[in-house]
Every structure is written in C-alpha cells, then in structure tokens.
Amino acid sequence: MKTIEARLFALQDLQYRDFHSKLMPDHDKELVIGVRTPVLRKLAKELAKEPFCEEFLKELPHKYYEENNLHAYLIENIAKTFDDAVRLTEEFLPYINNWATCDTFSPKAFKKDLDALYDKTLEWMNSTHVYTVRYGIVTQLQYFLEDAFRAEMLDIMAEIHTEEYYINMAIAWYYSFALIKQYQSTIPLFEEQRLDKWVHNKSLQKAIESYRIDKETKDYLRSLKIK
C-alpha cells in the first residue's frame, strides 16, 4: 500500500491540489495530494491488473482523497457483474467523506440489472450516512431519468427532508435534470410547491442555467420561484 501512496505522490500537481481543495471546503487540504482525474483513472486501469489490487480495496479507511478516488475507479475497472459492483460499492460507501468522491464513480456493471439497481438506490437513500444517501440520489439521476424513468421517484425524493447541504444539493441537481428530461411529470411538483423551499429554488436555478431548456420555459420556471 505504501507503493501505491508513493506512486500517487509521484503524480502530484500542487497547483491542481490548491485549486481542487477550494471545491471541497469541508475536506482537509493536507489529505489531498493533487492528482488530476484523467491521470488517476489511467493509474487505476494499470493497478486493476496487479494482484495487490484486492488488498488495497480491503484497506479501509484510506488516508488520502486520491486513495479514495483510486478505490472508486478500481471498482469500475474490476466489477464485471452486477453483484460484484454492488458488493464493492457497498463496502466502500461508508468511507466516502466528500461530494467529489461520491459523484466520481458509477460501475458500468450497474446497467446489467436496472430493476435491482433501482431497489438499491432506495436502500441507499434511507441510509443515515450523508454520502450514501447522496450516492443513491446521484445514481437515480444517472440511470433513471430517461428510458428507465419511474414517476414515483419524483414523490419519493420529495419526502427527503434534511438540513444536510450535500444531500439537498444532490436532490436539487436531480430535479433540475428531471425538469430537463421529464418535464411534464416533474413540473406539477413545482407548481404545487411540494419541495422544501431551498431545494425548490435551487432546482429551478440549475434548470434555468441549462442550455437544454428553451427561453419560454425558463421564463415560466422563473415565475415559480418561492420568495
């Protein structure tokens, strides 16, 4: 494991560390090495072929931010079945301690059983761990707002009431995409003001910022803001 740490520090970019740390104000800068994502993904592909990869995945918690992201990318590389993807993800979720790691990975093997994945997102969203809840929401956003969309999730998501910023931000992100991809099903929630005020307004803001919504619709969304 010291070998992996040494390889990460060999790839260090201090300017990038300073920049990226500002995006994670709640995360200790001293625990950020400063390795760019494409470089880290390339390293993960290389290490996925090494026999000590499995040992690294068992060594939780990790110390550095990049070790956590490397862990996430290794899951993407080695999980070939749906069950493996879920097992490795659930072993890791309790140790995720920031939004960037949470949002950075999604094993391709998840696509092999979307019904089971949908049920898993419900489990994750019922967790007491902030980033497990966020991971469930982000997974819904990634996989279930197009062909696999289920309108019931709009109501389920609306029942999440919390003061946790990173959960509320994920919910707003979800609804902004729902307004883009499933407008007719989603707009009644805003017309009826069924969401918490902050989530309601932030969702509208993010949707209005999208180039995928026409001007007339954006004007209507602006009229729905809660003052």
Side-chain angles (χ1 to χ4, degrees):
M1 300 312 104
K2 286 293 180 183
T3 301
I4 291 178
E5 185 178 310
R7 291 186 69 172
L8 289 171
F9 272 96
L11 299 169
Q12 185 178 52
D13 181 332
L14 290 175
Q15 187 176 5
Y16 176 72
R17 183 191 70 170
D18 293 343
F19 164 75
H20 197 61
S21 294
K22 292 177 182 178
L23 302 178
M24 302 184 297
D26 298 334
H27 199 75
D28 186 351
K29 182 179 176 181
E30 296 304 312
L31 299 180
V32 179
I33 297 171
V35 182
R36 293 178 181 272
T37 299
V39 176
L40 203 54
R41 284 189 176 279
K42 181 180 178 181
L43 178 61
K45 286 185 178 181
E46 295 172 5
L47 294 179
K49 303 172 186 176
E50 300 291 342
F52 57 78
C53 167
E54 292 280 356
E55 290 303 314
F56 175 75
L57 294 179
K58 293 176 183 176
E59 288 224 344
L60 289 165
H62 301 302
K63 180 178 180 181
Y64 292 102
Y65 165 72
E66 282 80 4
E67 288 179 313
N68 278 324
N69 284 12
L70 181 64
H71 189 125
Y73 301 147
L74 284 170
I75 292 174
E76 289 182 328
N77 276 276
I78 69 174
K80 304 304 180 185
T81 69
F82 175 81
D83 288 343
D84 282 344
V86 169
R87 175 180 60 81
L88 291 169
T89 297
E90 291 190 325
E91 288 172 357
F92 181 48
L93 284 177
Y95 299 96
I96 294 178
N97 58 10
N98 66 89
W99 70 266
T101 300
C102 179
D103 297 0
T104 199
F105 78 109
S106 182
K108 290 182 180 179
F110 277 172
K111 295 179 182 178
K112 295 185 176 183
D113 193 339
L114 288 180
D115 287 339
L117 180 62
Y118 185 90
D119 292 340
K120 276 295 173 185
T121 65
L122 296 178
E123 289 182 27
W124 296 335
M125 287 189 290
N126 279 318
S127 172
T128 57
H129 179 240
V130 170
Y131 294 106
T132 299
V133 176
R134 182 178 172 105
Y135 193 77
I137 296 166
V138 172
T139 302
Q140 271 289 329
L141 186 160
Q142 290 176 315
Y143 291 93
F144 298 100
L145 279 177
E146 294 188 23
D147 292 343
F149 174 67
R150 302 187 193 184
E152 66 182 26
M153 181 50 61
L154 297 170
D155 298 320
I156 293 171
M157 202 78 71
E159 292 303 314
I160 301 177
H161 304 287
T162 178
E163 297 298 318
E164 293 287 351
Y165 173 81
Y166 290 106
I167 294 177
N168 283 330
M169 197 68 210
I171 296 172
W173 187 20
Y174 170 86
Y175 279 117
S176 71
F177 272 78
L179 284 168
I180 294 166
K181 297 182 177 183
Q182 300 291 342
Y183 181 82
Q184 294 300 327
S185 296
T186 307
I187 195 63
L189 277 80
F190 292 87
E191 294 171 333
E192 298 164 12
Q193 297 187 359
R194 290 176 51 202
L195 306 178
D196 291 343
K197 179 180 177 180
W198 188 92
V199 171
H200 176 106
N201 287 339
K202 181 61 71 172
S203 301
L204 292 174
Q205 175 195 326
K206 294 178 76 65
I208 290 166
E209 290 170 354
S210 172
Y211 65 89
R212 287 177 283 183
I213 293 181
D214 61 63
K215 182 182 182 302
E216 182 179 353
T217 303
K218 287 183 179 183
D219 289 341
Y220 180 59
L221 293 180
R222 288 189 184 96
S223 75
L224 296 176
K225 182 178 179 181
I226 301 175
K227 298 179 180 179

